[in-house]
């Protein structure tokens, strides 16, 4: 098996295409697009799956849940990875195009809120977090002795994580929020900015100590006044973290026969172990 990594910014804006390649015919060539939260996990699963199924090739790209769902509507993907459920408008579009879908929930993720390592706060309640992200609070003076202005590093509106945070906090994001292209860019920006705050998939940082350097993962103080970390696996299993969510894969019925071996791999013992070792949680 050969593994190649290609960048195609002219086609997939701000996304990376990863091709796990073998001598596959069209019946064994899977195209997977969508959530940046899921992309690293999808690559890990595809690499292991391909070791046992050398006649398959799997092309994976991120760019956001909305991009993957749009690719399904346009017949450009077999699997849309999504960190949010379909919207009512999207459901209607699939019906209009007569594209029946299967929905797979294969893992659970938590969204982590991060600040620079020099920021003195260790936790934040939901009210303050909402007021920071909608721009009501524009400096750190209420939460610390610092008068630094707050800089928000967020995602594009096509991101499932963007929609998830917005819905959970019932806010509209500040127009001053910077729209970043993915978890890596958000973390690098917060590392360099003592005034920064951003949100990323906890699975992206939980298994990588290098990624955690220079940042601090905030505990979230929930409505019961309990501070819970997104890196607390037991809390996630007990569904006690406020920002946790299922991860979806949407699959057109026409692609199901082709992708079923891969979906079955995700659900077997090796697939589940890989999901957990990648920092996510198995829910089936």
């Amino acid at each position: 098996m050969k593994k190649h990594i290609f960048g195609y910014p002219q086609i997939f804006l701000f996304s990376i295409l990863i091709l796990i390649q073998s001598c596959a015919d069209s019946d064994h060539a899977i195209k997977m697009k969508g959530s940046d939260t899921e992309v690293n996990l999808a690559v890990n699963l595809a690499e292991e799956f391909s070791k046992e199924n050398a006649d398959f090739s799997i092309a994976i790209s991120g760019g956001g849940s909305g991009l993957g769902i749009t690719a399904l509507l346009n017949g450009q993907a077999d699997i849309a990875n999504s960190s949010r459920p379909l919207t009512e408008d999207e459901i209607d579009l699939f019906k209009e195009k007569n594209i029946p879908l299967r929905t797979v929930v294969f893992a659970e993720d938590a969204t982590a809120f991060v600040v620079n390592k020099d920021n003195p706060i260790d936790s934040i309640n939901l009210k303050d977090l909402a007021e920071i992200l909608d721009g009501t609070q524009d400096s750190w003076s209420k939460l610390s002795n610092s008068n630094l202005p707050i800089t928000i590093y967020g995602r594009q509106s096509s991101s499932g994580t963007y929609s998830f945070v917005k819905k959970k906090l019932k806010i509209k994001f500040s127009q001053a929020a910077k729209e970043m292209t993915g978890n890596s860019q958000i973390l690098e920006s917060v590392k360099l900015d003592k005034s920064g705050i951003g949100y990323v998939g906890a699975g992206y940082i939980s298994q990588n100590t290098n990624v955690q350097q220079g940042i601090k993962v905030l505990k979230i103080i929930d409505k019961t006044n309990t501070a819970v970390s997104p890196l607390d696996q037991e809390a996630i299993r007990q569904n006690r973290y406020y920002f946790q969510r299922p991860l979806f894969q949407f699959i057109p019925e026409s692609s199901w026969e082709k992708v079923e071996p891969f979906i079955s791999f995700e659900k077997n013992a090796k697939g589940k172990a890989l999901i957990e070792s990648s920092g996510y949680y198995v829910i089936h």
Side-chain angles (χ1 to χ4, degrees):
M1 181 186 72
K2 297 178 180 178
K3 175 183 174 186
H4 302 285
I5 302 177
F6 305 103
Y8 288 106
Q10 72 276 31
I11 300 174
F12 303 111
L13 188 62
F14 303 131
S15 69
I16 293 175
L17 174 67
I18 298 173
L19 177 63
I20 298 170
Q21 187 178 46
S22 63
C23 299
D25 56 34
S26 60
D27 291 335
H28 295 84
I30 298 173
K31 290 176 286 187
M32 190 184 315
K33 300 182 180 182
S35 168
D36 283 319
T37 298
E38 298 177 36
V39 69
N40 285 349
L41 174 58
V43 170
N44 292 340
L45 287 165
E47 284 183 334
E48 290 303 312
F49 171 78
S50 296
K51 289 177 182 176
E52 300 176 1
N53 300 271
D55 54 337
F56 276 80
S57 69
I58 303 179
I60 303 167
S61 63
S65 301
L67 192 66
I69 292 166
T70 299
L72 281 194
L73 284 164
N74 294 331
Q76 298 171 336
D78 301 298
I79 299 174
N81 290 327
S82 179
S83 56
R84 61 166 175 79
L86 294 175
T87 66
E88 290 299 322
D89 287 344
E90 289 165 345
I91 291 171
D92 289 341
L93 284 171
F94 280 106
K95 288 179 178 176
E96 288 174 12
K97 290 200 168 191
N98 193 27
I99 303 174
L101 292 179
R102 295 202 186 196
T103 300
V104 174
V105 178
F106 72 110
E108 184 108 357
D109 180 45
T111 298
F113 293 84
V114 298
V115 294
N116 185 276
K117 66 177 178 57
D118 292 329
N119 192 315
I121 71 169
D122 296 310
S123 60
I124 190 168
N125 64 42
L126 296 174
K127 183 175 184 296
D128 284 328
L129 183 60
E131 289 183 351
I132 285 174
L133 295 182
D134 73 8
T136 303
Q137 291 188 41
D138 59 5
S139 87
W140 289 105
S141 57
K142 180 182 175 183
L143 302 179
S144 71
N145 293 325
S146 170
N147 287 316
L148 282 174
I150 294 172
T151 305
I152 304 165
Y153 295 96
R155 295 296 311 278
Q156 318 95 313
S157 59
S158 62
S159 161
T161 306
Y162 171 99
S163 301
F164 174 66
V165 173
K166 179 181 174 184
K167 185 176 181 180
K168 290 291 284 185
L169 290 176
K170 299 180 175 62
I171 61 167
K172 290 185 178 179
F173 282 103
S174 166
Q175 292 187 351
K178 298 180 182 297
E179 294 188 353
M180 315 302 283
T181 60
N183 293 324
S184 176
Q185 192 178 27
I186 290 173
L187 290 172
E188 290 305 314
S189 298
V190 173
K191 285 179 185 179
L192 296 173
D193 185 353
K194 292 183 178 181
S195 72
I197 183 170
Y199 51 89
V200 298
Y204 187 81
I205 56 177
S206 63
Q207 298 299 311
N208 190 336
T209 54
N210 290 331
V211 168
Q212 295 179 34
Q213 293 178 2
I215 57 135
K216 185 187 295 183
V217 178
L218 297 179
K219 293 180 180 178
I220 299 299
I221 303 171
D222 61 21
K223 294 175 181 175
T224 66
N225 207 32
T226 303
V228 181
S229 168
L231 305 183
D232 183 342
Q233 295 190 9
E234 189 59 28
I236 299 296
R237 290 193 178 91
Q238 296 175 359
N239 201 31
R240 292 193 289 111
Y241 183 65
Y242 188 73
F243 294 96
Q244 65 182 88
R245 57 183 173 170
L247 299 180
F248 299 90
Q249 291 173 318
F250 302 117
I251 302 157
E253 191 66 44
S254 58
S255 294
W256 178 254
E257 184 175 354
K258 176 167 59 176
V259 307
E260 187 176 16
F262 178 73
I263 300 301
S264 296
F265 173 80
E266 292 179 335
K267 295 181 179 181
N268 71 24
K270 184 175 287 186
K272 289 179 179 179
L274 194 55
I275 289 170
E276 291 188 321
S277 67
S278 298
Y280 299 83
Y281 305 93
V282 175
I283 57 173
H284 52 71

